[in-house]
Amino acid sequence: MPIGLFKRLFPSKEKVEAPTPNKKAAKPKPAENKKPKSKASTAPKAVTKAPQPKWDPAQFTVAAVEGKTRFHDFKLDERIMRGIYDLGFEYASPIQSESLPITLAGHDIIGKAQTGTGKTAAFLITVMQKLLTSTPQERFASEPRALVVAPTRELALQIAQDARELGKHTDLHVMTVLGGMDYDKQRTELSNKVVDIVVATPGRLLDFLNQKIVFLDQVEMLVIDEADRMLDMGFIPDLKRIIRATPEKNLRQTQLFSATYPYDVIELSESWTYKPHQVEIEPESVATERVDQKFYIIQETEKDKTLARILKSPEMGRAIIFANRRDTTRDLAQRLNRMGLNAMLLSGEVAQNKRMATLERFKKQEKAILVATDVAGRGIHVDGISHVFNYNLPDDPEDYVHRIGRTGRAGANGIAITFVDEFEAYGLMDLESYLGNKIVTEVAPEE
Ligand code: AMP
């Protein structure tokens, strides 16, 4: 969507003010389906807030640079600062420097940003800061204080991992509620432990909600990530039910992120957020800045050979090859393996547990090849991917940006090579207008 349209549909809101004290501080009204608090689960947990003495914040020094925001500028809890320090972050990324002043002041946010921009840390920092600043007197099992909903298991797992790293020095308890795995384990953990942050995919969370295994009426902080993907994947009805189980929108803080804003997402965003502020990070500037993009005109029959040749070159590190269909990825992975290249497969037809093991293997090896579909590839947040290949030109230009955003992450440079055969060439025009710049094609190199 053109920025103009986005801005018209979301007219810019009032300036960031001081936090409205009674908005979020208001006591959430009791939910109707309130859980009978059984003995087993009612043991109140004393939330210990003692800072860890061994770390001296003075060791986290970052030079002030004009135009850059440091995390020091936000007056964050020392335990969060220590997590940030351990992660090696120095300056806030654009989405962080734009959104944190808004969200830390208690306002809702609608963020147009995609993966690779640092949006996960942006919303997690606020969630954690809020949870650490106010401590309810009593806590109970089954009642998270923060809920992050994401469309895919891979993304949810990645968010939970980021939360555990960022919150390493806090005693905030993070857990995932995900379909396809560990049903009993998740149920037991929710029922028996005090959980602060739940990161969930919609299906399993709704199941647990219906069975009264989880209660969302104590949710102070709600994050909806990749709202556009939720829409694509048909999760909106589930999500609506989930959100209805949380406190009313003026009694919780909501952060909603989406890479794109189709009309339905705009409408939903408005109904789920309270006086939201908007932050927009343009995809081109994020995804393409550090990615050298090449478009090779090539015959379909030549793709394998050329791909294998490039994959065998010495400068190859970790590579992801995207194709448009599951069967294409499966067949391609097999063919590459027959050519002596050790290719892993990540698509919806691979069982969930195997997908996670594959991702782990991919992360651990310095040189590795992964063949993936768009949906499976969305959740891949692995640094150090040197090359992304588009075996097919994606049907949807947004997918192109998502795909190439797997490389060029965390300050590194990356190369994206897109194969375009004679049938795909017509799709270049769409992509050009989406990216807003001219695409220069070249004939695929023979050597
Ligand atoms: P995300 O868009 O949340 O998937 O984050 C993309 C990557 O950027 C992740 O590997 C983060 O660990 C990393 N990252 C997030 N914030 C920063 C920062 N301020 N400085 C450096 N790296 C960051």
Side-chain angles (χ1 to χ4, degrees):
M1 184 191 332
I3 311 170
L5 179 56
F6 183 83
K7 295 225 162 100
R8 253 198 330 281
L9 292 163
F10 283 124
S12 110
K13 299 288 185 313
E14 67 271 42
K15 281 175 76 166
V16 182
E17 320 129 11
T20 15
N22 53 0
K23 178 194 156 193
K24 307 298 176 192
K27 216 176 158 26
K29 70 172 174 44
E32 280 137 37
N33 66 344
K34 188 76 188 142
K35 183 188 179 199
K37 296 190 192 300
S38 70
K39 273 243 160 86
S41 63
T42 54
K45 180 192 167 197
V47 179
T48 44
K49 290 182 76 181
Q52 314 220 348
K54 273 173 254 143
W55 187 67
D56 180 358
Q59 66 193 89
F60 188 7
T61 49
V62 178
V65 171
E66 209 187 315
K68 287 192 176 188
T69 312
R70 296 175 304 164
F71 290 99
H72 303 64
D73 304 331
F74 297 117
K75 303 201 171 33
L76 298 173
D77 186 287
E78 206 174 270
R79 291 161 286 179
I80 300 177
M81 283 302 273
R82 189 173 175 189
I84 294 172
Y85 172 78
D86 284 359
L87 280 164
F89 299 174
E90 293 188 321
Y91 299 95
S93 70
I95 186 83
Q96 292 160 359
S97 57
E98 286 191 42
S99 69
L100 284 171
I102 296 166
T103 54
L104 287 170
H107 298 289
D108 285 4
I109 199 162
I110 296 178
K112 187 177 188 209
Q114 47 187 242
T115 46
T117 53
K119 71 180 158 70
T120 315
F123 64 69
L124 286 175
I125 288 172
T126 300
V127 165
M128 292 188 172
Q129 178 71 19
K130 280 292 152 81
L131 296 187
L132 292 171
T133 339
S134 70
T135 312
Q137 288 193 319
E138 277 193 316
R139 295 293 317 282
F140 299 97
S142 320
E143 297 180 345
R145 295 178 66 199
L147 173 65
V148 182
V149 194
T152 63
R153 288 173 285 215
E154 285 83 3
L155 180 59
L157 284 166
Q158 184 65 46
I159 294 169
Q161 190 183 322
D162 288 0
R164 289 189 184 108
E165 283 177 21
L166 196 62
K168 192 164 91 186
H169 303 288
T170 70
D171 53 8
L172 294 171
H173 181 185
V174 180
M175 83 162 277
T176 47
V177 171
L178 309 171
M181 55 201 285
D182 301 334
Y183 190 94
D184 288 329
K185 199 171 150 231
Q186 292 174 22
R187 187 179 54 187
T188 313
E189 187 169 354
L190 265 175
S191 307
N192 295 325
K193 288 195 181 151
V194 171
V195 176
D196 297 293
I197 303 173
V198 162
V199 185
T201 50
R204 175 67 60 84
L205 181 66
L206 188 60
D207 178 5
F208 280 2
L209 191 63
N210 290 337
Q211 294 193 56
K212 303 198 189 315
I213 293 167
V214 69
F215 295 83
L216 301 178
D217 54 292
Q218 298 302 314
V219 167
E220 299 160 46
M221 308 293 294
L222 172 68
V223 179
I224 302 156
D225 199 11
E226 296 203 349
D228 52 348
R229 208 55 170 181
M230 303 262 200
L231 186 73
D232 284 355
M233 293 172 77
F235 283 142
I236 298 302
D238 286 3
L239 202 53
K240 282 185 176 165
R241 287 189 198 108
I242 289 166
I243 294 174
R244 269 205 297 273
T246 68
E248 282 169 32
K249 61 182 180 181
N250 58 331
L251 298 175
R252 58 166 203 255
Q253 185 176 3
T254 307
Q255 304 184 64
L256 184 143
F257 291 89
S258 196
T260 60
Y261 274 85
Y263 193 75
D264 285 350
V265 173
I266 295 175
E267 273 197 335
L268 291 166
S269 311
E270 285 186 339
S271 73
W272 288 336
T273 52
Y274 178 79
K275 296 188 179 171
H277 292 245
Q278 292 121 40
V279 168
E280 183 177 356
I281 301 297
E282 270 306 292
E284 300 91 290
S285 62
V286 204
T288 59
E289 208 171 58
R290 292 186 302 268
V291 182
D292 179 12
Q293 301 172 67
K294 295 179 191 299
F295 292 84
Y296 288 168
I297 299 294
I298 190 167
Q299 281 181 15
E300 173 73 36
T301 49
E302 293 299 304
K303 285 183 177 180
D304 281 12
K305 233 181 358 191
T306 304
L307 177 64
R309 207 174 47 236
I310 305 173
L311 286 172
K312 283 177 182 164
S313 64
E315 69 269 20
M316 190 61 49
R318 288 193 198 98
I320 303 187
I321 304 149
F322 283 101
N324 292 2
R325 294 167 39 156
R326 286 176 179 192
D327 54 350
T328 317
T329 55
R330 187 204 321 126
D331 297 346
L332 176 61
Q334 278 169 6
R335 290 197 304 274
L336 290 174
N337 282 320
R338 280 201 295 272
M339 286 189 252
L341 289 152
N342 186 9
M344 306 174 212
L345 176 65
L346 198 80
S347 80
E349 64 186 18
V350 177
Q352 176 60 21
N353 289 348
K354 193 153 175 233
R355 271 196 259 169
M356 283 169 58
T358 303
L359 260 183
E360 278 311 305
R361 233 175 350 123
F362 182 65
K363 274 186 199 174
K364 286 204 180 104
Q365 295 174 15
E366 259 173 53
K367 280 176 178 279
I369 299 167
L370 185 71
V371 185
T373 54
D374 287 294
V375 172
R378 275 258 179 153
I380 302 173
H381 302 263
V382 178
D383 292 339
I385 292 173
S386 67
H387 289 68
V388 166
F389 293 88
N390 293 311
Y391 191 81
N392 308 114
L393 186 73
D395 293 329
D396 188 340
E398 284 167 42
D399 282 330
Y400 173 82
V401 176
H402 273 279
R403 288 178 180 187
I404 72 166
R406 303 304 96 199
T407 181
R409 292 164 64 85
N413 292 323
I415 296 174
I417 297 177
T418 304
F419 288 163
V420 187
D421 66 24
E422 67 255 51
F423 301 107
E424 291 164 321
Y426 70 92
L428 285 178
M429 258 154 54
D430 261 4
L431 183 58
E432 252 178 9
S433 60
Y434 182 79
L435 295 177
N437 54 39
K438 180 112 189 73
I439 289 173
V440 181
T441 57
E442 54 193 293
V443 176
E446 296 271 314
E447 288 305 322

